[in-house]
Amino acid sequence: MANGNNQRPQQYDVIVVGAGFSGLYMLYKLRKEGLSAIVFESGDNIGGTWFWNRYPGARCDVPSMQYSYQFDEQLQQEWEWPERYSAQPDILNYINHVADRFDLRRDIQLQTWVESATYKEEKKTWHVKTSKGEAIARFCVMATGCLSTTNTPDVPGIKTYAGEVFHTGNWPKDGVDFTDKTVGILGTGSSAIQSIPIIAQQAKHLYVFQRTPNFSVPAANGPTNQQEARDIKARYSKFRKECAAKVTGYEMHLNEKSAVEVDHAERIEEYERRWRNGGLMFLGAFSDLLLNQDANETAAEFIRQKISSIVENPKVAALLMPDHKVGCKRLCADSGYYATFNRDNVTLIDIHNNPISSFESTGLTTPNGKWEFQNLVLATGFDAMTGAISKINVTGKQGKSLRDKWTDDPKAYLGLGISGFPNLFTINGPGSPSVLTNMLPSIEQHVNWIADCINWTESNGFKSIEATFEAEKTWAEHVNEVADATIFPTCNSWYLGANIPGKKRAFLPYLGFPPYVDKCESVARNNYTGFEFS
Ligand code: N01
């Protein structure tokens, strides 16, 4: 545990920041390696993303049998997932089970906000200051999550709004009862698309303020297919390896054919099949949906037709139709989202053509009218990938601030190490596949790599390891080069940092789990090329 204010800082081999999926497995792994570690967590319990995102309808869009740890065979054999796509309480339950099963809690300090982390060059150690004291370690691992710093938009007058305000990414623990309330929701990304159908069932009236419509496909969630689960468990480790060989690190059932080379009937049949089966596998309908704009347009048009067939009011349907490429903003998976706009108690308000002029104490005004509501839900997303670390005052060599560095240039070598910041590792940092993949295998791959790297550094008698400026630069160029060959840069998304005013536009995640893993393994095999040691 960290000390109180008057004691000497506790010393560890490694300090880990964050007790979500990444931090928990990092702790488990470090212990296995015989290293001492402490995890600092700001929440009053563990779970990270799945602790904070308790909004109605919060659910994972990667199938449960894949969105789980694979490091322990017995765990993956014994655990039973109730649904095809897990709801937030079930995932949190699983995380808590893992923490107890592996006795992790004794090295996790909750309700501890990490204020700063400072690298002491002469000692080659990290000094971490928290809300509860100080601690020192040779290594520091940021397991702070890719989508954990909420974005609260700076709309004029928003602070004068007098009703209760809830952010989907920081939802009250005891839930919110919207019964008989008029509710406004700002944003129409994944979080909104999941919560809108449920809030609409409760609220007296729901106003949905939409700046950009999003593509969504049915999740087709339901109870776990027991036969399918048994089949996977019978060959779990082989199944995991097969998934790791997919570009996204999960099974997309990618069709090798091109959307523009098959005839219309075959194309529609494939889209219909995917639409019925549900989930993000829709993007695997053809091999070129993320690569070729014409191919992508066929999928976009298919979804627009679906919107038009579901939503009864043609004007509302037209407003819900995105004009960007499918997948350039993350595709959403829903349970009854479009049909919710057929309800009498739901109103869609376009704030793209008629932006919010201002908030007032009872609601907000657009050029088209004044909208009053008792509760406001902000489903306005996150400062992704760099936001959480940038909130901590991280100071590296020569007193350089990581926040300043990332303001100009948000990059990390392999999303793992940062030049100027020795002995600091990021799990799923900028330049890692992370958010374009199934997060769980990505997390485990990073943790395993970091643990091996720490071991190698120490066993070779080095006191510090640092990504070189050149390796970091070359990797970031490669990340962007790969993205430029896809449809990803064609719209404003959080992948590009475009949702945060003033944030430098750069494609943050790396597309391609298998080549990424190969690269990391090759770097390690060759005595950590791109890193320097002292
Ligand atoms: O956030 P978002 P999210 N005025 O950034 C709008 C993961 N996730 O929390 O597009 C008005 O996608 C913004 O509008 P625009 C998943 O990776 C996964 O929904 O910028 N509107 C947008 O509509 C996901 O992609 C799951 O024009 C403003 C919305 O707010 C990621 O988290 C579930 C605004 C934000 O959408 C983030 O999703 C949930 C402003 N000033 C989340 N600022 C699953 O596994 C922002 N908006 C299923």
Short mmCIF file of all heavy atoms in Angstrom, two decimals, residues 49-50 53 55 57-62 67 147 151-155 167-169 186-194 209-214 280 324 329-333 351-352 356 378-382 435 492-495 498-499 501, ligand 1:
data_model
loop_
_atom_site.label_atom_id
_atom_site.label_comp_id
_atom_site.label_asym_id
_atom_site.label_seq_id
_atom_site.Cartn_x
_atom_site.Cartn_y
_atom_site.Cartn_z
N THR A 49 -13.41 0.33 -17.45
CA THR A 49 -14.51 0.66 -18.38
C THR A 49 -15.83 0.05 -17.91
O THR A 49 -16.87 0.71 -17.95
CB THR A 49 -14.17 0.06 -19.77
OG1 THR A 49 -13.11 0.83 -20.31
CG2 THR A 49 -15.35 0.10 -20.71
N TRP A 50 -15.78 -1.19 -17.46
CA TRP A 50 -17.02 -1.91 -17.12
C TRP A 50 -17.50 -1.56 -15.73
O TRP A 50 -18.57 -1.98 -15.31
CB TRP A 50 -16.83 -3.41 -17.32
CG TRP A 50 -16.55 -3.68 -18.78
CD1 TRP A 50 -15.35 -4.00 -19.33
CD2 TRP A 50 -17.49 -3.59 -19.86
NE1 TRP A 50 -15.48 -4.12 -20.70
CE2 TRP A 50 -16.78 -3.88 -21.04
CE3 TRP A 50 -18.85 -3.30 -19.94
CZ2 TRP A 50 -17.39 -3.89 -22.30
CZ3 TRP A 50 -19.45 -3.31 -21.19
CH2 TRP A 50 -18.73 -3.60 -22.35
N ASN A 53 -18.99 2.42 -17.04
CA ASN A 53 -20.03 2.51 -18.09
C ASN A 53 -21.25 1.66 -17.69
O ASN A 53 -21.52 0.62 -18.26
CB ASN A 53 -19.47 2.04 -19.43
CG ASN A 53 -18.63 3.11 -20.07
OD1 ASN A 53 -19.10 3.87 -20.92
ND2 ASN A 53 -17.38 3.21 -19.64
N TYR A 55 -24.38 2.61 -17.87
CA TYR A 55 -25.60 3.21 -18.43
C TYR A 55 -26.58 2.11 -18.86
O TYR A 55 -26.18 0.96 -19.09
CB TYR A 55 -25.22 4.13 -19.60
CG TYR A 55 -24.53 3.45 -20.76
CD1 TYR A 55 -25.26 2.82 -21.76
CD2 TYR A 55 -23.15 3.42 -20.85
CE1 TYR A 55 -24.62 2.18 -22.81
CE2 TYR A 55 -22.50 2.79 -21.89
CZ TYR A 55 -23.25 2.17 -22.87
OH TYR A 55 -22.62 1.52 -23.91
N GLY A 57 -28.47 -0.47 -20.78
CA GLY A 57 -28.23 -1.16 -22.06
C GLY A 57 -26.77 -1.39 -22.37
O GLY A 57 -26.44 -1.92 -23.44
N ALA A 58 -25.85 -1.00 -21.46
CA ALA A 58 -24.42 -1.16 -21.76
C ALA A 58 -24.10 -2.64 -21.94
O ALA A 58 -24.41 -3.47 -21.09
CB ALA A 58 -23.58 -0.58 -20.62
N ARG A 59 -23.46 -2.93 -23.03
CA ARG A 59 -23.24 -4.32 -23.42
C ARG A 59 -22.05 -4.35 -24.37
O ARG A 59 -21.81 -3.39 -25.10
CB ARG A 59 -24.52 -4.77 -24.15
CG ARG A 59 -24.58 -6.22 -24.55
CD ARG A 59 -25.91 -6.51 -25.23
NE ARG A 59 -27.07 -6.47 -24.35
CZ ARG A 59 -27.39 -7.38 -23.45
NH1 ARG A 59 -26.64 -8.44 -23.31
NH2 ARG A 59 -28.46 -7.26 -22.70
N CYS A 60 -21.33 -5.46 -24.37
CA CYS A 60 -20.18 -5.57 -25.27
C CYS A 60 -20.63 -6.02 -26.65
O CYS A 60 -21.58 -6.79 -26.77
CB CYS A 60 -19.19 -6.57 -24.69
SG CYS A 60 -17.69 -6.65 -25.65
N ASP A 61 -19.95 -5.54 -27.70
CA ASP A 61 -20.35 -5.94 -29.05
C ASP A 61 -19.42 -7.00 -29.64
O ASP A 61 -19.47 -7.27 -30.83
CB ASP A 61 -20.50 -4.73 -29.97
CG ASP A 61 -19.25 -3.88 -30.03
OD1 ASP A 61 -18.19 -4.33 -29.53
OD2 ASP A 61 -19.31 -2.76 -30.57
N VAL A 62 -18.57 -7.58 -28.79
CA VAL A 62 -17.77 -8.74 -29.20
C VAL A 62 -18.35 -9.94 -28.45
O VAL A 62 -18.64 -9.83 -27.26
CB VAL A 62 -16.27 -8.54 -28.84
CG1 VAL A 62 -15.47 -9.80 -29.10
CG2 VAL A 62 -15.69 -7.36 -29.61
N TYR A 67 -14.77 -12.40 -25.74
CA TYR A 67 -14.43 -11.23 -24.92
C TYR A 67 -14.20 -11.70 -23.48
O TYR A 67 -14.98 -11.44 -22.57
CB TYR A 67 -15.56 -10.20 -24.99
CG TYR A 67 -15.17 -8.84 -24.45
CD1 TYR A 67 -14.47 -7.93 -25.23
CD2 TYR A 67 -15.50 -8.47 -23.16
CE1 TYR A 67 -14.11 -6.69 -24.74
CE2 TYR A 67 -15.14 -7.22 -22.65
CZ TYR A 67 -14.45 -6.35 -23.45
OH TYR A 67 -14.09 -5.11 -22.96
N LEU A 147 -10.80 4.15 -23.57
CA LEU A 147 -12.01 4.97 -23.61
C LEU A 147 -12.46 5.18 -22.17
O LEU A 147 -13.44 4.61 -21.71
CB LEU A 147 -13.09 4.24 -24.42
CG LEU A 147 -12.77 4.06 -25.90
CD1 LEU A 147 -13.57 2.93 -26.52
CD2 LEU A 147 -13.00 5.35 -26.67
N ASN A 151 -15.77 12.79 -22.43
CA ASN A 151 -15.78 14.06 -23.14
C ASN A 151 -17.08 14.79 -22.82
O ASN A 151 -18.16 14.31 -23.17
CB ASN A 151 -15.68 13.79 -24.65
CG ASN A 151 -15.98 15.03 -25.48
OD1 ASN A 151 -15.57 16.14 -25.13
ND2 ASN A 151 -16.70 14.86 -26.57
N THR A 152 -16.95 15.90 -22.15
CA THR A 152 -18.14 16.73 -21.87
C THR A 152 -18.05 17.96 -22.76
O THR A 152 -17.14 18.76 -22.61
CB THR A 152 -18.17 17.14 -20.39
OG1 THR A 152 -18.28 15.94 -19.63
CG2 THR A 152 -19.35 18.02 -20.08
N PRO A 153 -18.98 18.07 -23.72
CA PRO A 153 -18.83 19.16 -24.68
C PRO A 153 -19.02 20.53 -24.05
O PRO A 153 -19.79 20.69 -23.11
CB PRO A 153 -19.91 18.87 -25.72
CG PRO A 153 -20.82 17.88 -25.13
CD PRO A 153 -20.15 17.23 -23.98
N ASP A 154 -18.30 21.46 -24.62
CA ASP A 154 -18.33 22.83 -24.11
C ASP A 154 -19.39 23.61 -24.89
O ASP A 154 -19.07 24.51 -25.66
CB ASP A 154 -16.92 23.42 -24.31
CG ASP A 154 -16.79 24.75 -23.62
OD1 ASP A 154 -17.65 25.05 -22.77
OD2 ASP A 154 -15.85 25.50 -23.96
N VAL A 155 -20.65 23.25 -24.69
CA VAL A 155 -21.74 23.94 -25.41
C VAL A 155 -22.10 25.18 -24.60
O VAL A 155 -22.20 25.09 -23.37
CB VAL A 155 -22.97 23.00 -25.55
CG1 VAL A 155 -24.07 23.66 -26.35
CG2 VAL A 155 -22.56 21.67 -26.16
N HIS A 167 -23.40 11.35 -17.46
CA HIS A 167 -22.58 10.95 -18.61
C HIS A 167 -22.60 9.42 -18.68
O HIS A 167 -22.43 8.76 -17.64
CB HIS A 167 -21.15 11.47 -18.47
CG HIS A 167 -20.38 11.44 -19.77
ND1 HIS A 167 -20.06 10.25 -20.41
CD2 HIS A 167 -19.91 12.42 -20.57
CE1 HIS A 167 -19.40 10.51 -21.53
NE2 HIS A 167 -19.30 11.83 -21.66
N THR A 168 -22.79 8.88 -19.88
CA THR A 168 -22.85 7.41 -20.01
C THR A 168 -21.57 6.75 -19.48
O THR A 168 -21.62 5.63 -18.98
CB THR A 168 -23.06 6.99 -21.47
OG1 THR A 168 -22.08 7.66 -22.28
CG2 THR A 168 -24.46 7.31 -21.96
N GLY A 169 -20.46 7.46 -19.60
CA GLY A 169 -19.18 6.89 -19.20
C GLY A 169 -18.88 7.06 -17.71
O GLY A 169 -17.78 6.71 -17.27
N LEU A 186 -27.76 13.77 -25.58
CA LEU A 186 -26.87 14.40 -26.55
C LEU A 186 -25.88 13.36 -27.04
O LEU A 186 -25.16 12.76 -26.24
CB LEU A 186 -26.14 15.56 -25.85
CG LEU A 186 -25.35 16.53 -26.71
CD1 LEU A 186 -26.21 17.19 -27.77
CD2 LEU A 186 -24.73 17.62 -25.81
N GLY A 187 -25.88 13.13 -28.36
CA GLY A 187 -24.96 12.15 -28.93
C GLY A 187 -25.71 10.94 -29.45
O GLY A 187 -26.75 10.55 -28.90
N THR A 188 -25.17 10.37 -30.54
CA THR A 188 -25.78 9.18 -31.14
C THR A 188 -24.69 8.19 -31.57
O THR A 188 -24.72 7.66 -32.68
CB THR A 188 -26.68 9.56 -32.34
OG1 THR A 188 -25.98 10.49 -33.16
CG2 THR A 188 -28.00 10.16 -31.89
N GLY A 189 -23.70 7.97 -30.68
CA GLY A 189 -22.69 6.93 -30.91
C GLY A 189 -23.15 5.63 -30.28
O GLY A 189 -24.32 5.46 -29.91
N SER A 190 -22.20 4.69 -30.08
CA SER A 190 -22.54 3.36 -29.55
C SER A 190 -23.27 3.43 -28.22
O SER A 190 -24.24 2.70 -28.00
CB SER A 190 -21.27 2.54 -29.32
OG SER A 190 -20.63 2.29 -30.52
N SER A 191 -22.80 4.29 -27.31
CA SER A 191 -23.41 4.35 -25.97
C SER A 191 -24.85 4.82 -26.07
O SER A 191 -25.75 4.28 -25.41
CB SER A 191 -22.62 5.29 -25.06
OG SER A 191 -21.26 4.92 -25.02
N ALA A 192 -25.08 5.85 -26.88
CA ALA A 192 -26.44 6.37 -27.04
C ALA A 192 -27.33 5.32 -27.71
O ALA A 192 -28.47 5.10 -27.28
CB ALA A 192 -26.41 7.64 -27.88
N ILE A 193 -26.79 4.68 -28.72
CA ILE A 193 -27.59 3.72 -29.49
C ILE A 193 -28.01 2.54 -28.63
O ILE A 193 -29.09 1.96 -28.81
CB ILE A 193 -26.82 3.34 -30.78
CG1 ILE A 193 -26.98 4.47 -31.79
CG2 ILE A 193 -27.26 2.00 -31.35
CD1 ILE A 193 -26.21 4.35 -33.07
N GLN A 194 -27.19 2.20 -27.64
CA GLN A 194 -27.59 1.14 -26.71
C GLN A 194 -28.57 1.64 -25.66
O GLN A 194 -29.47 0.90 -25.25
CB GLN A 194 -26.35 0.58 -25.99
CG GLN A 194 -25.47 -0.25 -26.90
CD GLN A 194 -24.33 -0.90 -26.13
OE1 GLN A 194 -23.79 -0.35 -25.19
NE2 GLN A 194 -23.97 -2.09 -26.55
N PHE A 209 -30.84 14.42 -29.38
CA PHE A 209 -30.17 15.49 -30.12
C PHE A 209 -29.03 14.88 -30.93
O PHE A 209 -28.03 14.42 -30.36
CB PHE A 209 -29.66 16.57 -29.15
CG PHE A 209 -30.78 17.24 -28.41
CD1 PHE A 209 -31.13 16.83 -27.13
CD2 PHE A 209 -31.53 18.25 -29.01
CE1 PHE A 209 -32.19 17.42 -26.45
CE2 PHE A 209 -32.60 18.84 -28.34
CZ PHE A 209 -32.93 18.42 -27.06
N GLN A 210 -29.20 14.87 -32.23
CA GLN A 210 -28.26 14.17 -33.12
C GLN A 210 -27.46 15.15 -33.97
O GLN A 210 -28.01 15.94 -34.72
CB GLN A 210 -29.04 13.23 -34.04
CG GLN A 210 -28.19 12.58 -35.12
CD GLN A 210 -29.01 11.80 -36.12
OE1 GLN A 210 -29.28 10.62 -35.91
NE2 GLN A 210 -29.43 12.44 -37.21
N ARG A 211 -26.13 15.08 -33.83
CA ARG A 211 -25.28 15.89 -34.71
C ARG A 211 -24.90 15.09 -35.95
O ARG A 211 -24.94 15.60 -37.06
CB ARG A 211 -24.03 16.36 -33.96
CG ARG A 211 -23.21 17.35 -34.76
CD ARG A 211 -22.20 18.07 -33.92
NE ARG A 211 -21.14 17.20 -33.43
CZ ARG A 211 -20.15 17.61 -32.66
NH1 ARG A 211 -20.09 18.87 -32.28
NH2 ARG A 211 -19.21 16.77 -32.25
N THR A 212 -24.52 13.83 -35.73
CA THR A 212 -24.15 12.96 -36.86
C THR A 212 -24.84 11.62 -36.69
O THR A 212 -24.64 10.96 -35.66
CB THR A 212 -22.62 12.73 -36.89
OG1 THR A 212 -21.95 13.98 -36.75
CG2 THR A 212 -22.19 12.06 -38.18
N PRO A 213 -25.64 11.20 -37.67
CA PRO A 213 -26.24 9.87 -37.53
C PRO A 213 -25.16 8.80 -37.66
O PRO A 213 -24.11 9.04 -38.24
CB PRO A 213 -27.23 9.79 -38.69
CG PRO A 213 -26.80 10.84 -39.67
CD PRO A 213 -26.01 11.87 -38.93
N ASN A 214 -25.43 7.63 -37.10
CA ASN A 214 -24.44 6.55 -37.13
C ASN A 214 -25.05 5.30 -37.73
O ASN A 214 -26.24 5.07 -37.60
CB ASN A 214 -24.02 6.22 -35.70
CG ASN A 214 -22.60 6.63 -35.45
OD1 ASN A 214 -21.72 6.32 -36.24
ND2 ASN A 214 -22.38 7.34 -34.37
N LEU A 280 -21.14 -7.17 -35.33
CA LEU A 280 -20.13 -6.47 -36.15
C LEU A 280 -19.62 -7.33 -37.30
O LEU A 280 -18.90 -6.82 -38.17
CB LEU A 280 -18.96 -6.02 -35.27
CG LEU A 280 -19.33 -5.10 -34.09
CD1 LEU A 280 -18.08 -4.63 -33.37
CD2 LEU A 280 -20.15 -3.90 -34.55
N HIS A 324 -21.67 9.05 -44.23
CA HIS A 324 -20.25 8.68 -44.26
C HIS A 324 -20.12 7.19 -44.60
O HIS A 324 -21.12 6.52 -44.88
CB HIS A 324 -19.57 9.01 -42.93
CG HIS A 324 -20.27 8.47 -41.71
ND1 HIS A 324 -21.06 9.24 -40.89
CD2 HIS A 324 -20.30 7.24 -41.18
CE1 HIS A 324 -21.53 8.50 -39.90
NE2 HIS A 324 -21.08 7.27 -40.06
N LYS A 329 -16.61 5.57 -38.70
CA LYS A 329 -16.90 5.72 -37.27
C LYS A 329 -17.26 4.31 -36.84
O LYS A 329 -17.89 3.59 -37.62
CB LYS A 329 -18.10 6.63 -37.04
CG LYS A 329 -17.82 8.12 -37.17
CD LYS A 329 -19.15 8.86 -37.08
CE LYS A 329 -19.00 10.35 -37.26
NZ LYS A 329 -18.62 11.06 -36.05
N ARG A 330 -16.93 3.94 -35.64
CA ARG A 330 -17.15 2.54 -35.25
C ARG A 330 -18.61 2.13 -35.47
O ARG A 330 -19.53 2.82 -35.03
CB ARG A 330 -16.76 2.33 -33.80
CG ARG A 330 -16.79 0.87 -33.42
CD ARG A 330 -16.35 0.69 -31.99
NE ARG A 330 -16.83 -0.54 -31.46
CZ ARG A 330 -16.06 -1.62 -31.25
NH1 ARG A 330 -14.79 -1.57 -31.54
NH2 ARG A 330 -16.57 -2.71 -30.76
N LEU A 331 -18.79 1.01 -36.16
CA LEU A 331 -20.13 0.49 -36.41
C LEU A 331 -20.78 0.17 -35.05
O LEU A 331 -20.12 -0.36 -34.15
CB LEU A 331 -20.03 -0.78 -37.27
CG LEU A 331 -21.34 -1.46 -37.63
CD1 LEU A 331 -22.23 -0.56 -38.50
CD2 LEU A 331 -21.08 -2.77 -38.39
N CYS A 332 -22.07 0.48 -34.93
CA CYS A 332 -22.77 0.19 -33.68
C CYS A 332 -23.60 -1.08 -33.84
O CYS A 332 -24.00 -1.43 -34.95
CB CYS A 332 -23.69 1.34 -33.31
SG CYS A 332 -22.84 2.93 -33.24
N ALA A 333 -23.85 -1.74 -32.72
CA ALA A 333 -24.73 -2.91 -32.71
C ALA A 333 -25.83 -2.62 -31.69
O ALA A 333 -25.53 -2.23 -30.56
CB ALA A 333 -23.94 -4.15 -32.31
N ILE A 351 -29.26 18.48 -34.77
CA ILE A 351 -28.45 19.63 -34.35
C ILE A 351 -27.22 19.80 -35.25
O ILE A 351 -26.27 20.49 -34.90
CB ILE A 351 -28.04 19.56 -32.85
CG1 ILE A 351 -27.31 18.25 -32.54
CG2 ILE A 351 -29.25 19.77 -31.96
CD1 ILE A 351 -26.60 18.27 -31.20
N HIS A 352 -27.27 19.12 -36.40
CA HIS A 352 -26.22 19.36 -37.39
C HIS A 352 -26.58 20.60 -38.20
O HIS A 352 -25.81 21.57 -38.28
CB HIS A 352 -26.06 18.15 -38.31
CG HIS A 352 -25.12 18.39 -39.45
ND1 HIS A 352 -23.76 18.48 -39.25
CD2 HIS A 352 -25.34 18.58 -40.77
CE1 HIS A 352 -23.18 18.73 -40.42
NE2 HIS A 352 -24.12 18.80 -41.35
N ILE A 356 -27.14 23.64 -31.57
CA ILE A 356 -27.60 24.18 -30.29
C ILE A 356 -27.10 25.63 -30.16
O ILE A 356 -25.91 25.89 -30.32
CB ILE A 356 -27.04 23.35 -29.11
CG1 ILE A 356 -27.52 21.90 -29.21
CG2 ILE A 356 -27.42 23.97 -27.77
CD1 ILE A 356 -26.84 20.95 -28.22
N LEU A 378 -25.50 12.78 -21.29
CA LEU A 378 -24.40 13.07 -22.22
C LEU A 378 -23.84 11.74 -22.69
O LEU A 378 -23.23 11.00 -21.91
CB LEU A 378 -23.32 13.89 -21.53
CG LEU A 378 -23.73 15.30 -21.08
CD1 LEU A 378 -22.59 15.96 -20.30
CD2 LEU A 378 -24.09 16.16 -22.29
N ALA A 379 -24.10 11.42 -23.96
CA ALA A 379 -23.53 10.20 -24.55
C ALA A 379 -22.48 10.68 -25.55
O ALA A 379 -22.48 10.32 -26.71
CB ALA A 379 -24.62 9.38 -25.23
N THR A 380 -21.61 11.55 -25.04
CA THR A 380 -20.74 12.33 -25.92
C THR A 380 -19.31 11.78 -26.00
O THR A 380 -18.41 12.46 -26.48
CB THR A 380 -20.73 13.80 -25.46
OG1 THR A 380 -20.64 13.84 -24.04
CG2 THR A 380 -21.99 14.51 -25.89
N GLY A 381 -19.13 10.55 -25.56
CA GLY A 381 -17.89 9.85 -25.85
C GLY A 381 -16.71 10.20 -24.95
O GLY A 381 -16.87 10.70 -23.83
N PHE A 382 -15.54 9.97 -25.52
CA PHE A 382 -14.31 9.97 -24.71
C PHE A 382 -13.16 10.67 -25.44
O PHE A 382 -13.13 10.72 -26.66
CB PHE A 382 -13.87 8.52 -24.44
CG PHE A 382 -14.93 7.71 -23.75
CD1 PHE A 382 -15.87 7.00 -24.49
CD2 PHE A 382 -15.00 7.67 -22.37
CE1 PHE A 382 -16.87 6.27 -23.86
CE2 PHE A 382 -16.00 6.93 -21.73
CZ PHE A 382 -16.93 6.23 -22.48
N VAL A 435 -8.38 -0.75 -29.99
CA VAL A 435 -9.80 -0.49 -30.23
C VAL A 435 -10.32 -1.00 -31.58
O VAL A 435 -11.52 -1.01 -31.81
CB VAL A 435 -10.12 1.01 -30.09
CG1 VAL A 435 -9.97 1.46 -28.66
CG2 VAL A 435 -9.25 1.85 -31.03
N ASN A 492 -14.82 12.14 -39.61
CA ASN A 492 -14.33 12.59 -38.31
C ASN A 492 -14.72 11.58 -37.24
O ASN A 492 -15.91 11.37 -37.00
CB ASN A 492 -14.93 13.95 -37.95
CG ASN A 492 -14.35 15.03 -38.82
OD1 ASN A 492 -13.17 14.98 -39.20
ND2 ASN A 492 -15.17 16.00 -39.17
N SER A 493 -13.74 10.96 -36.62
CA SER A 493 -14.06 9.97 -35.60
C SER A 493 -13.10 10.13 -34.44
O SER A 493 -12.08 10.80 -34.55
CB SER A 493 -13.90 8.56 -36.18
OG SER A 493 -12.52 8.32 -36.42
N TRP A 494 -13.42 9.43 -33.35
CA TRP A 494 -12.50 9.48 -32.22
C TRP A 494 -11.22 8.69 -32.51
O TRP A 494 -10.21 8.87 -31.84
CB TRP A 494 -13.18 9.04 -30.92
CG TRP A 494 -13.78 7.67 -30.90
CD1 TRP A 494 -15.10 7.36 -31.04
CD2 TRP A 494 -13.10 6.43 -30.70
NE1 TRP A 494 -15.28 5.99 -30.95
CE2 TRP A 494 -14.07 5.39 -30.74
CE3 TRP A 494 -11.76 6.07 -30.49
CZ2 TRP A 494 -13.75 4.04 -30.58
CZ3 TRP A 494 -11.44 4.73 -30.34
CH2 TRP A 494 -12.44 3.74 -30.38
N TYR A 495 -11.25 7.79 -33.53
CA TYR A 495 -10.01 7.10 -33.91
C TYR A 495 -8.95 8.13 -34.31
O TYR A 495 -7.75 7.90 -34.18
CB TYR A 495 -10.24 6.22 -35.15
CG TYR A 495 -11.18 5.04 -34.99
CD1 TYR A 495 -12.12 4.75 -35.98
CD2 TYR A 495 -11.10 4.19 -33.90
CE1 TYR A 495 -12.96 3.65 -35.88
CE2 TYR A 495 -11.95 3.09 -33.79
CZ TYR A 495 -12.88 2.83 -34.78
OH TYR A 495 -13.70 1.74 -34.68
N ALA A 498 -10.66 13.36 -33.70
CA ALA A 498 -11.41 14.48 -34.26
C ALA A 498 -12.59 14.91 -33.41
O ALA A 498 -13.19 15.95 -33.67
CB ALA A 498 -11.90 14.10 -35.67
N ASN A 499 -12.94 14.10 -32.39
CA ASN A 499 -14.09 14.46 -31.55
C ASN A 499 -13.72 15.43 -30.43
O ASN A 499 -14.59 15.93 -29.73
CB ASN A 499 -14.71 13.19 -30.93
CG ASN A 499 -13.75 12.46 -30.01
OD1 ASN A 499 -12.54 12.50 -30.23
ND2 ASN A 499 -14.25 11.82 -28.99
N PRO A 501 -12.15 18.96 -29.49
CA PRO A 501 -11.69 20.21 -30.07
C PRO A 501 -10.21 20.47 -29.75
O PRO A 501 -9.79 20.32 -28.60
CB PRO A 501 -12.59 21.27 -29.41
CG PRO A 501 -13.79 20.50 -28.95
CD PRO A 501 -13.33 19.11 -28.64
O1 N01 B 1 -18.98 7.89 -28.02
P1 N01 B 1 -18.85 8.38 -29.55
P2 N01 B 1 -19.67 6.58 -27.44
N1 N01 B 1 -22.39 18.41 -29.68
O2 N01 B 1 -17.67 9.27 -29.57
C1 N01 B 1 -21.75 13.40 -30.11
C2 N01 B 1 -16.99 2.02 -27.38
N2 N01 B 1 -18.26 1.52 -26.93
O3 N01 B 1 -19.55 6.63 -25.96
O4 N01 B 1 -20.34 12.21 -34.32
C3 N01 B 1 -23.20 17.46 -30.14
O5 N01 B 1 -18.90 7.25 -30.47
C4 N01 B 1 -21.03 12.81 -31.29
O6 N01 B 1 -21.42 13.49 -32.47
P3 N01 B 1 -20.38 13.60 -33.73
C5 N01 B 1 -16.99 1.94 -28.90
O7 N01 B 1 -15.71 1.68 -29.35
C6 N01 B 1 -18.50 0.21 -27.17
O8 N01 B 1 -20.99 6.39 -27.99
O9 N01 B 1 -19.05 14.00 -33.14
N3 N01 B 1 -22.91 16.16 -30.19
C7 N01 B 1 -21.47 11.36 -31.22
O10 N01 B 1 -22.74 11.19 -31.76
C8 N01 B 1 -17.47 3.33 -29.25
O11 N01 B 1 -17.16 3.74 -30.55
C9 N01 B 1 -19.71 -0.30 -26.87
O12 N01 B 1 -20.97 14.62 -34.60
C10 N01 B 1 -21.71 15.81 -29.72
C11 N01 B 1 -21.54 11.12 -29.71
O13 N01 B 1 -21.66 12.40 -29.10
C12 N01 B 1 -16.77 4.16 -28.20
O14 N01 B 1 -16.88 3.38 -27.02
C13 N01 B 1 -20.68 0.48 -26.27
C14 N01 B 1 -20.80 16.73 -29.20
C15 N01 B 1 -20.31 10.46 -29.18
O15 N01 B 1 -20.17 9.22 -29.77
C16 N01 B 1 -17.36 5.52 -27.95
O16 N01 B 1 -18.77 5.43 -27.97
C17 N01 B 1 -20.40 1.81 -26.03
C18 N01 B 1 -21.19 18.09 -29.20
N4 N01 B 1 -20.36 19.06 -28.76
C19 N01 B 1 -19.18 2.32 -26.36
N5 N01 B 1 -19.69 16.07 -28.82
C20 N01 B 1 -19.98 -1.70 -27.18
O17 N01 B 1 -19.18 -2.59 -26.97
C21 N01 B 1 -19.91 14.78 -29.10
N6 N01 B 1 -21.13 14.62 -29.64
C22 N01 B 1 -21.23 -1.99 -27.83
#
